[in-house]
Structure formats: structure tokens, C-alpha cells
Coordinates of all heavy atoms in Angstrom, one line a residue:
M16 N 47.8 137.0 174.7 CA 47.7 136.4 173.4 C 48.6 135.2 173.3 O 49.7 135.2 173.8 CB 48.0 137.4 172.3 CG 47.8 136.9 170.9 SD 48.0 138.2 169.7 CE 46.2 138.4 169.3
H17 N 48.1 134.2 172.6 CA 49.0 133.0 172.4 C 50.1 133.3 171.4 O 49.9 134.1 170.5 CB 48.1 131.8 171.9 CG 47.1 131.3 173.0 ND1 47.5 130.6 174.0 CD2 45.8 131.6 173.1 CE1 46.5 130.3 174.8 NE2 45.4 130.9 174.2
C18 N 51.2 132.6 171.5 CA 52.3 132.8 170.7 C 52.2 132.3 169.2 O 52.7 132.9 168.3 CB 53.5 132.2 171.3 SG 54.0 132.9 172.9
A19 N 51.4 131.2 169.0 CA 51.3 130.6 167.7 C 50.9 131.6 166.6 O 51.6 131.7 165.6 CB 50.4 129.4 167.7
P20 N 49.8 132.4 166.8 CA 49.5 133.3 165.7 C 50.5 134.4 165.5 O 50.7 134.9 164.4 CB 48.1 133.9 166.1 CG 47.8 133.4 167.5 CD 48.8 132.3 167.8
L21 N 51.2 134.8 166.6 CA 52.2 135.8 166.5 C 53.4 135.2 165.7 O 54.1 136.0 165.0 CB 52.6 136.3 167.9 CG 51.4 137.2 168.5 CD1 51.6 137.3 170.0 CD2 51.4 138.5 167.8
R22 N 53.7 134.0 166.0 CA 54.9 133.4 165.2 C 54.6 133.3 163.8 O 55.5 133.5 162.9 CB 55.2 132.1 165.9 CG 55.8 132.3 167.2 CD 56.2 131.0 167.9 NE 56.7 131.2 169.3 CZ 57.1 130.3 170.1 NH1 57.1 129.1 169.7 NH2 57.5 130.7 171.3
T23 N 53.3 133.0 163.4 CA 52.9 133.0 162.0 C 53.1 134.4 161.4 O 53.7 134.5 160.3 CB 51.5 132.5 161.9 OG1 51.4 131.2 162.4 CG2 51.0 132.5 160.4
A24 N 52.7 135.4 162.2 CA 52.9 136.8 161.7 C 54.4 137.1 161.6 O 54.8 137.8 160.7 CB 52.1 137.7 162.6
L25 N 55.2 136.7 162.5 CA 56.6 137.0 162.5 C 57.2 136.4 161.2 O 58.0 137.0 160.6 CB 57.3 136.4 163.7 CG 57.1 137.2 165.0 CD1 57.6 136.4 166.2 CD2 57.8 138.5 165.0
S26 N 56.8 135.1 160.9 CA 57.3 134.5 159.7 C 56.9 135.3 158.5 O 57.7 135.5 157.5 CB 56.8 133.1 159.6 OG 57.4 132.3 160.6
A27 N 55.7 135.7 158.5 CA 55.2 136.5 157.3 C 56.0 137.8 157.2 O 56.4 138.2 156.1 CB 53.7 136.8 157.5
R28 N 56.2 138.4 158.3 CA 57.0 139.7 158.3 C 58.4 139.5 157.7 O 58.9 140.2 156.9 CB 57.0 140.3 159.7 CG 57.8 141.6 159.7 CD 57.5 142.5 160.9 NE 58.1 142.0 162.1 CZ 58.0 142.7 163.3 NH1 57.4 143.8 163.4 NH2 58.6 142.2 164.3
L29 N 59.0 138.4 158.2 CA 60.4 138.1 157.7 C 60.4 137.8 156.2 O 61.4 138.1 155.5 CB 60.9 136.8 158.5 CG 61.4 137.1 159.9 CD1 61.7 135.8 160.6 CD2 62.6 138.0 159.9
D30 N 59.3 137.2 155.7 CA 59.2 136.9 154.3 C 58.7 138.0 153.4 O 58.6 137.9 152.2 CB 58.3 135.7 154.1 CG 58.9 134.4 154.7 OD1 60.1 134.3 154.9 OD2 58.1 133.4 154.9
G31 N 58.5 139.2 154.1 CA 58.0 140.3 153.3 C 56.5 140.2 152.9 O 56.0 140.9 152.0
E32 N 55.8 139.3 153.6 CA 54.4 139.1 153.3 C 53.5 140.0 154.2 O 54.0 140.5 155.2 CB 54.0 137.6 153.5 CG 54.8 136.7 152.7 CD 54.6 135.2 153.1 OE1 53.8 135.0 154.0 OE2 55.2 134.4 152.4
E33 N 52.2 140.1 153.8 CA 51.3 140.9 154.6 C 51.0 140.1 155.9 O 51.0 138.9 156.0 CB 50.0 141.0 153.9 CG 50.0 142.0 152.8 CD 48.6 142.3 152.3 OE1 47.6 142.3 153.0 OE2 48.5 142.5 151.0
L34 N 50.8 140.9 157.0 CA 50.5 140.3 158.3 C 49.1 139.8 158.3 O 48.2 140.3 157.6 CB 50.7 141.3 159.4 CG 52.1 141.8 159.6 CD1 52.1 142.8 160.7 CD2 53.1 140.7 159.9
P35 N 48.8 138.7 159.0 CA 47.4 138.3 159.1 C 46.5 139.4 159.7 O 47.0 140.3 160.4 CB 47.5 137.1 160.1 CG 48.9 136.7 160.1 CD 49.7 137.9 159.8
P36 N 45.2 139.3 159.3 CA 44.3 140.3 159.8 C 44.3 140.4 161.4 O 44.4 139.5 162.1 CB 42.9 139.8 159.4 CG 43.2 138.9 158.2 CD 44.6 138.3 158.5
G37 N 44.3 141.7 161.8 CA 44.3 141.9 163.3 C 45.6 142.0 163.9 O 45.7 142.4 165.1
L38 N 46.7 141.7 163.2 CA 48.0 141.8 163.8 C 48.8 142.9 163.1 O 48.8 143.0 161.8 CB 48.8 140.5 163.6 CG 48.2 139.3 164.5 CD1 49.0 138.0 164.2 CD2 48.4 139.7 165.9
T39 N 49.4 143.7 163.8 CA 50.2 144.9 163.3 C 51.6 144.8 163.7 O 52.0 144.0 164.7 CB 49.6 146.2 163.9 OG1 49.8 146.2 165.3 CG2 48.1 146.4 163.6
P40 N 52.5 145.5 163.0 CA 53.9 145.5 163.4 C 54.1 145.9 164.9 O 54.9 145.3 165.6 CB 54.6 146.5 162.5 CG 53.7 146.4 161.2 CD 52.3 146.2 161.8
R41 N 53.3 146.9 165.3 CA 53.4 147.3 166.7 C 53.0 146.2 167.7 O 53.7 146.0 168.7 CB 52.5 148.5 166.9 CG 52.6 149.1 168.3 CD 51.7 150.3 168.5 NE 51.7 150.7 169.9 CZ 50.9 151.5 170.4 NH1 50.0 152.1 169.6 NH2 51.0 151.9 171.7
L42 N 52.0 145.5 167.4 CA 51.6 144.4 168.2 C 52.7 143.3 168.3 O 52.9 142.8 169.4 CB 50.3 143.8 167.7 CG 49.2 143.6 168.7 CD1 47.9 144.1 168.2 CD2 49.1 142.1 169.1
L43 N 53.3 143.0 167.2 CA 54.3 142.0 167.2 C 55.5 142.5 168.0 O 56.1 141.7 168.8 CB 54.8 141.8 165.7 CG 53.9 141.0 164.8 CD1 54.5 140.9 163.4 CD2 53.6 139.7 165.4
D44 N 55.9 143.8 167.8 CA 57.0 144.3 168.6 C 56.8 144.3 170.1 O 57.6 144.0 170.9 CB 57.4 145.7 168.1 CG 57.9 145.7 166.6 OD1 58.4 144.6 166.2 OD2 57.9 146.7 166.0
E45 N 55.5 144.6 170.5 CA 55.2 144.6 171.9 C 55.2 143.2 172.5 O 55.7 143.0 173.6 CB 53.8 145.2 172.1 CG 53.7 146.7 171.9 CD 52.3 147.3 171.9 OE1 51.4 146.6 172.1 OE2 52.2 148.6 171.8
H46 N 54.8 142.3 171.7 CA 54.8 140.9 172.2 C 56.3 140.4 172.3 O 56.6 139.8 173.3 CB 54.0 140.0 171.2 CG 54.1 138.5 171.7 ND1 53.2 138.1 172.7 CD2 54.8 137.5 171.3 CE1 53.5 136.8 172.9 NE2 54.4 136.4 172.1
L47 N 57.1 140.7 171.3 CA 58.5 140.3 171.3 C 59.2 140.9 172.5 O 60.1 140.3 173.1 CB 59.2 140.8 170.0 CG 58.9 139.9 168.8 CD1 59.5 140.6 167.6 CD2 59.4 138.5 169.0
A48 N 58.8 142.1 172.9 CA 59.5 142.8 174.0 C 59.3 142.0 175.3 O 60.1 142.0 176.2 CB 59.0 144.2 174.2
G49 N 58.1 141.3 175.4 CA 57.8 140.6 176.6 C 57.9 139.1 176.6 O 57.6 138.4 177.5
C50 N 58.3 138.5 175.4 CA 58.3 137.1 175.3 C 59.6 136.6 174.7 O 59.9 136.7 173.5 CB 57.2 136.6 174.3 SG 57.0 134.8 174.1
A51 N 60.4 136.0 175.6 CA 61.8 135.5 175.3 C 61.7 134.4 174.3 O 62.5 134.3 173.4 CB 62.5 135.1 176.5
D52 N 60.7 133.5 174.4 CA 60.5 132.4 173.5 C 60.3 132.9 172.1 O 60.9 132.3 171.1 CB 59.4 131.4 173.9 CG 59.8 130.6 175.1 OD1 61.0 130.4 175.4 OD2 58.9 130.2 175.9
C53 N 59.5 133.9 171.9 CA 59.2 134.4 170.6 C 60.4 135.2 170.0 O 60.6 135.1 168.8 CB 57.9 135.2 170.5 SG 56.4 134.2 170.6
R54 N 61.2 135.8 170.9 CA 62.4 136.5 170.4 C 63.4 135.4 169.9 O 64.0 135.6 168.9 CB 63.0 137.3 171.5 CG 62.3 138.6 171.8 CD 63.2 139.5 172.7 NE 63.6 138.9 174.0 CZ 62.8 139.0 175.1 NH1 61.6 139.5 175.1 NH2 63.3 138.4 176.2
R55 N 63.4 134.3 170.6 CA 64.3 133.2 170.2 C 63.8 132.6 168.9 O 64.6 132.3 168.0 CB 64.3 132.1 171.3 CG 65.4 131.1 171.2 CD 65.6 130.2 172.4 NE 64.6 130.2 173.4 CZ 64.5 130.9 174.5 NH1 65.5 131.7 174.8 NH2 63.5 130.8 175.4
F56 N 62.5 132.4 168.8 CA 61.9 131.9 167.5 C 62.2 132.9 166.4 O 62.6 132.4 165.3 CB 60.4 131.8 167.7 CG 59.7 131.5 166.4 CD1 59.5 130.2 166.0 CD2 59.2 132.5 165.6 CE1 58.8 129.9 164.8 CE2 58.5 132.2 164.4 CZ 58.4 130.9 164.0
E57 N 62.1 134.2 166.6 CA 62.4 135.1 165.5 C 63.9 135.1 165.1 O 64.2 135.1 163.9 CB 62.0 136.6 165.9 CG 62.3 137.6 164.8 CD 62.1 139.0 165.2 OE1 62.4 139.4 166.3 OE2 61.5 139.7 164.4
A58 N 64.8 135.0 166.1 CA 66.2 134.9 165.8 C 66.5 133.6 165.0 O 67.3 133.6 164.0 CB 67.0 134.9 167.1
Q59 N 65.9 132.5 165.4 CA 66.1 131.2 164.6 C 65.5 131.3 163.2 O 66.1 130.8 162.3 CB 65.4 130.1 165.4 CG 66.2 129.7 166.6 CD 65.4 128.7 167.5 OE1 64.2 128.5 167.3 NE2 66.1 128.1 168.4
A60 N 64.4 132.0 163.1 CA 63.8 132.1 161.7 C 64.6 133.0 160.9 O 64.8 132.7 159.7 CB 62.3 132.7 161.9
R61 N 65.2 134.1 161.4 CA 66.1 134.9 160.7 C 67.3 134.2 160.2 O 67.8 134.3 159.1 CB 66.5 136.2 161.5 CG 65.5 137.2 161.6 CD 66.0 138.4 162.4 NE 65.0 139.4 162.7 CZ 64.4 140.2 161.8 NH1 64.9 140.3 160.6 NH2 63.5 141.0 162.2
A62 N 67.9 133.4 161.1 CA 69.1 132.6 160.8 C 68.8 131.6 159.7 O 69.6 131.4 158.8 CB 69.6 131.9 162.1
L63 N 67.6 131.0 159.8 CA 67.2 130.0 158.8 C 67.0 130.7 157.4 O 67.5 130.2 156.4 CB 65.8 129.3 159.2 CG 65.3 128.4 158.1 CD1 66.2 127.2 157.9 CD2 63.9 127.9 158.6
S64 N 66.5 131.9 157.4 CA 66.3 132.6 156.1 C 67.7 132.9 155.5 O 67.8 132.8 154.3 CB 65.6 134.0 156.4 OG 64.2 133.7 156.8
V65 N 68.6 133.3 156.3 CA 70.0 133.5 155.8 C 70.6 132.2 155.3 O 71.2 132.2 154.2 CB 70.9 134.1 157.0 CG1 72.3 134.1 156.5 CG2 70.4 135.5 157.3
R66 N 70.4 131.1 156.0 CA 71.0 129.8 155.5 C 70.3 129.4 154.2 O 71.0 129.0 153.3 CB 70.8 128.8 156.6 CG 71.7 128.9 157.8 CD 71.8 127.7 158.6 NE 70.5 127.2 159.1 CZ 69.9 127.4 160.2 NH1 70.5 128.2 161.1 NH2 68.8 126.9 160.5
V67 N 69.0 129.6 154.1 CA 68.3 129.3 152.8 C 68.8 130.2 151.7 O 69.0 129.7 150.6 CB 66.8 129.3 153.0 CG1 66.1 129.2 151.7 CG2 66.3 128.2 153.9
A68 N 69.0 131.4 152.0 CA 69.5 132.4 150.9 C 70.9 132.0 150.5 O 71.2 132.0 149.3 CB 69.5 133.8 151.5
H69 N 71.7 131.6 151.4 CA 73.1 131.2 151.1 C 73.0 129.8 150.3 O 73.8 129.7 149.3 CB 74.0 131.0 152.3 CG 74.3 132.3 152.9 ND1 74.9 132.4 154.1 CD2 74.2 133.6 152.5 CE1 75.1 133.7 154.4 NE2 74.7 134.4 153.4
A70 N 72.2 128.9 150.7 CA 72.1 127.6 150.0 C 71.6 127.9 148.6 O 72.0 127.2 147.6 CB 71.2 126.7 150.7
S71 N 70.6 128.8 148.4 CA 70.1 129.1 147.1 C 71.1 129.7 146.2 O 71.3 129.3 145.1 CB 68.9 130.1 147.3 OG 68.4 130.5 146.0
A72 N 71.9 130.6 146.8 CA 73.0 131.2 146.0 C 74.0 130.2 145.6 O 74.5 130.2 144.5 CB 73.6 132.4 146.8
A73 N 74.4 129.3 146.5 CA 75.3 128.2 146.2 C 74.8 127.3 145.1 O 75.6 126.7 144.4 CB 75.7 127.5 147.5
A74 N 73.5 127.1 145.1 CA 72.9 126.2 144.1 C 72.7 127.0 142.8 O 72.1 126.4 141.8 CB 71.6 125.7 144.6
G75 N 73.1 128.2 142.7 CA 73.0 129.0 141.5 C 71.5 129.4 141.3 O 71.1 129.8 140.2
G76 N 70.8 129.4 142.4 CA 69.4 129.8 142.3 C 68.5 128.8 141.7 O 67.3 129.1 141.3
D77 N 68.9 127.6 141.5 CA 68.2 126.5 140.8 C 66.9 126.3 141.6 O 67.0 125.8 142.8 CB 69.0 125.3 140.7 CG 68.2 124.1 140.1 OD1 67.4 124.3 139.2 OD2 68.3 123.0 140.7
P78 N 65.7 126.5 141.1 CA 64.5 126.4 141.8 C 64.2 124.9 142.3 O 63.7 124.8 143.4 CB 63.4 126.7 140.8 CG 64.1 127.6 139.8 CD 65.5 127.1 139.7
A79 N 64.6 123.9 141.6 CA 64.4 122.5 142.1 C 65.3 122.3 143.3 O 64.8 121.6 144.2 CB 64.8 121.6 140.9
T80 N 66.5 122.7 143.3 CA 67.4 122.5 144.5 C 66.8 123.3 145.7 O 66.8 122.7 146.8 CB 68.8 123.0 144.2 OG1 69.3 122.3 143.0 CG2 69.7 122.8 145.3
V81 N 66.4 124.5 145.5 CA 65.8 125.3 146.6 C 64.6 124.6 147.1 O 64.4 124.5 148.3 CB 65.6 126.7 146.1 CG1 64.8 127.5 147.2 CG2 66.9 127.4 145.8
E82 N 63.7 124.1 146.2 CA 62.5 123.5 146.7 C 62.8 122.2 147.4 O 62.1 121.9 148.4 CB 61.6 123.2 145.5 CG 60.2 122.6 145.9 CD 59.5 123.5 146.9 OE1 59.5 124.8 146.8 OE2 58.9 122.9 147.9
T83 N 63.8 121.4 147.0 CA 64.2 120.2 147.8 C 64.7 120.6 149.2 O 64.3 119.9 150.1 CB 65.3 119.5 147.0 OG1 64.8 119.1 145.7 CG2 65.8 118.3 147.7
L84 N 65.5 121.7 149.3 CA 65.9 122.1 150.6 C 64.8 122.5 151.5 O 64.7 122.1 152.6 CB 66.9 123.3 150.4 CG 67.3 124.0 151.7 CD1 68.1 123.1 152.6 CD2 68.1 125.3 151.4
L85 N 63.8 123.3 150.9 CA 62.7 123.8 151.7 C 61.8 122.6 152.1 O 61.3 122.6 153.2 CB 61.9 124.8 150.9 CG 62.6 126.2 150.7 CD1 61.8 127.0 149.7 CD2 62.8 126.8 152.0
A86 N 61.6 121.6 151.2 CA 60.8 120.5 151.6 C 61.4 119.7 152.7 O 60.7 119.3 153.6 CB 60.7 119.5 150.3
A87 N 62.7 119.6 152.7 CA 63.4 118.9 153.9 C 63.2 119.7 155.1 O 63.0 119.1 156.2 CB 64.9 118.7 153.5
L88 N 63.3 121.0 155.1 CA 63.2 121.8 156.3 C 61.7 121.8 156.8 O 61.5 121.8 158.0 CB 63.6 123.3 156.0 CG 65.1 123.5 155.7 CD1 65.3 124.9 155.2 CD2 65.9 123.2 156.9
R89 N 60.8 121.7 155.9 CA 59.4 121.6 156.3 C 59.0 120.4 157.2 O 58.1 120.4 158.0 CB 58.4 121.7 155.1 CG 58.3 123.0 154.5 CD 57.3 123.0 153.3 NE 57.5 124.2 152.5 CZ 58.0 124.2 151.3 NH1 58.3 123.0 150.7 NH2 58.2 125.3 150.6
T90 N 59.8 119.4 157.0 CA 59.5 118.1 157.7 C 60.1 118.1 159.1 O 59.8 117.2 159.9 CB 60.0 116.9 157.0 OG1 61.4 117.0 156.9 CG2 59.4 116.8 155.6
R91 N 60.9 119.1 159.5 CA 61.6 119.2 160.8 C 60.8 120.1 161.7 O 60.5 121.2 161.3 CB 63.0 119.7 160.6 CG 63.8 118.7 159.7 CD 65.2 119.2 159.6 NE 65.9 119.0 160.9 CZ 67.0 119.5 161.3 NH1 67.7 120.3 160.4 NH2 67.5 119.3 162.5
P92 N 60.5 119.6 162.9 CA 59.8 120.5 163.8 C 60.6 121.7 164.3 O 61.9 121.5 164.4 CB 59.4 119.6 165.0 CG 60.4 118.5 164.9 CD 60.7 118.3 163.4
V93 N 60.0 122.8 164.5 CA 60.8 124.0 165.1 C 60.3 124.1 166.5 O 59.1 124.2 166.8 CB 60.4 125.2 164.3 CG1 61.1 126.4 164.9 CG2 60.9 125.1 162.8
R94 N 61.3 124.2 167.4 CA 61.0 124.4 168.8 C 61.9 125.5 169.3 O 63.0 125.6 169.0 CB 61.3 123.1 169.6 CG 60.4 122.0 169.3 CD 60.7 120.8 170.2 NE 59.9 119.7 169.9 CZ 60.4 118.6 169.2 NH1 61.6 118.6 168.7 NH2 59.6 117.6 168.9
P95 N 61.3 126.4 170.2 CA 62.1 127.4 170.8 C 63.3 126.8 171.5 O 63.2 125.9 172.2 CB 61.2 128.1 171.8 CG 59.8 127.8 171.3 CD 59.9 126.4 170.7
G96 N 64.5 127.4 171.3 CA 65.7 126.9 171.9 C 66.3 125.8 171.2 O 67.4 125.3 171.6
G97 N 65.7 125.3 170.2 CA 66.2 124.2 169.4 C 65.8 122.8 169.9 O 65.6 122.7 171.1
A98 N 65.8 121.9 169.0 CA 65.3 120.5 169.4 C 66.3 119.9 170.4 O 65.9 119.2 171.3 CB 65.2 119.6 168.2
A99 N 67.6 120.2 170.3 CA 68.6 119.6 171.2 C 68.3 120.0 172.6 O 68.4 119.3 173.5 CB 70.0 119.9 170.7
R100 N 68.1 121.3 172.8 CA 67.8 121.9 174.1 C 66.6 121.2 174.7 O 66.6 120.8 175.9 CB 67.7 123.4 174.1 CG 67.5 124.0 175.5 CD 67.4 125.5 175.4 NE 66.4 125.8 176.4 CZ 65.4 126.6 176.2 NH1 65.1 127.1 175.0 NH2 64.5 126.9 177.1
A101 N 65.5 121.2 174.0 CA 64.3 120.6 174.5 C 64.5 119.1 174.9 O 64.0 118.7 175.9 CB 63.2 120.7 173.4
H102 N 65.3 118.4 174.1 CA 65.5 117.0 174.4 C 66.4 116.9 175.6 O 66.1 116.0 176.5 CB 66.3 116.3 173.2 CG 66.6 114.9 173.5 ND1 65.7 113.9 173.5 CD2 67.8 114.3 173.7 CE1 66.3 112.8 173.8 NE2 67.6 113.0 173.9
Q103 N 67.4 117.7 175.8 CA 68.3 117.6 176.9 C 67.5 117.9 178.2 O 67.8 117.4 179.3 CB 69.4 118.7 176.8 CG 70.4 118.3 175.8 CD 71.4 119.4 175.5 OE1 71.2 120.5 176.0 NE2 72.4 119.1 174.7
E104 N 66.5 118.8 178.1 CA 65.7 119.2 179.3 C 64.6 118.3 179.6 O 63.8 118.4 180.5 CB 65.2 120.6 179.2 CG 66.3 121.6 179.1 CD 65.9 123.0 178.9 OE1 64.6 123.2 178.7 OE2 66.7 124.0 178.8
G105 N 64.4 117.3 178.6 CA 63.3 116.3 178.8 C 62.0 116.9 178.4 O 60.9 116.4 178.7
N106 N 61.9 118.0 177.7 CA 60.7 118.7 177.2 C 60.4 118.3 175.8 O 61.3 118.1 175.0 CB 60.8 120.2 177.4 CG 60.9 120.6 178.8 OD1 60.4 120.0 179.7 ND2 61.7 121.7 179.0
T107 N 59.2 118.4 175.4 CA 58.8 118.2 174.0 C 57.6 119.2 173.7 O 56.8 119.5 174.6 CB 58.3 116.8 173.7 OG1 57.2 116.5 174.6 CG2 59.4 115.8 173.9
G108 N 57.6 119.6 172.5 CA 56.5 120.4 172.0 C 56.1 121.6 172.8 O 57.0 122.4 173.2
E109 N 54.8 121.8 173.1 CA 54.3 123.0 173.7 C 54.9 123.2 175.1 O 55.0 124.3 175.6 CB 52.8 122.9 173.8 CG 52.2 123.1 172.4 CD 52.5 124.4 171.7 OE1 52.4 125.5 172.4 OE2 52.9 124.4 170.6
A110 N 55.2 122.1 175.8 CA 55.7 122.2 177.2 C 57.0 123.0 177.2 O 57.3 123.7 178.1 CB 55.9 120.9 177.8
A111 N 57.8 122.8 176.1 CA 59.1 123.5 176.0 C 58.9 124.9 175.5 O 59.7 125.7 175.8 CB 60.0 122.7 175.0
A112 N 57.8 125.2 174.9 CA 57.6 126.5 174.3 C 57.3 127.6 175.4 O 57.6 128.7 175.2 CB 56.4 126.5 173.3
G113 N 56.6 127.2 176.4 CA 56.3 128.2 177.4 C 55.2 129.2 177.0 O 55.0 130.2 177.6
C114 N 54.5 128.9 175.9 CA 53.4 129.7 175.4 C 52.1 129.0 175.4 O 52.1 127.8 175.1 CB 53.8 130.2 174.0 SG 55.2 131.2 173.9

């Protein structure tokens, strides 16, 4: 199975949302067990969630400030291993993902 739909499901699971049809927690866990890139993606997504929560708390939970932060984050591409690692290795996009 390709990683992209599983990463969407991982994001949904982290956000407490329902998983897309056909994907179960067991399927996600099995994929994570065998895919280092997706484990890295999940770790980065978890870290981002923590940073957003801290930024939201620091902003007093102001919805406008939180939305501004999220809008800025949406414009930045997410790559396994981080953009700096992909750049250092001369990889971009899917070639760096390994999926």
C-alpha cells in the first residue's frame, strides 16, 4: 500500500478524527511497524501537534492567532526526515520519501 493515504489516516488519528473508509487502527499500526518513513512522519506530526498546542496556549487560545499559525504551517511542505535532510542529500519530494 502507498504511504500517502496512510499518512492522511495517521493525521486523522492524531487529530481524533475518524479514519478514512477502509483503514483501521490495526492496518495503520502494521504499516508503521514496517515503514520507517511513516514512523518518522508520525513522530513529526506528533511534535507539530504539541508545538501548535503550546503556541495556542501561549496565545491565550485566541482563534485568530491559532488560525494564522496554522495557515503559515499549511504553506510549508512536509517531507520525511525534514526539509533540511532532503536538501542536504540532494533529494526532493517523493524521491526522498521512499514510498
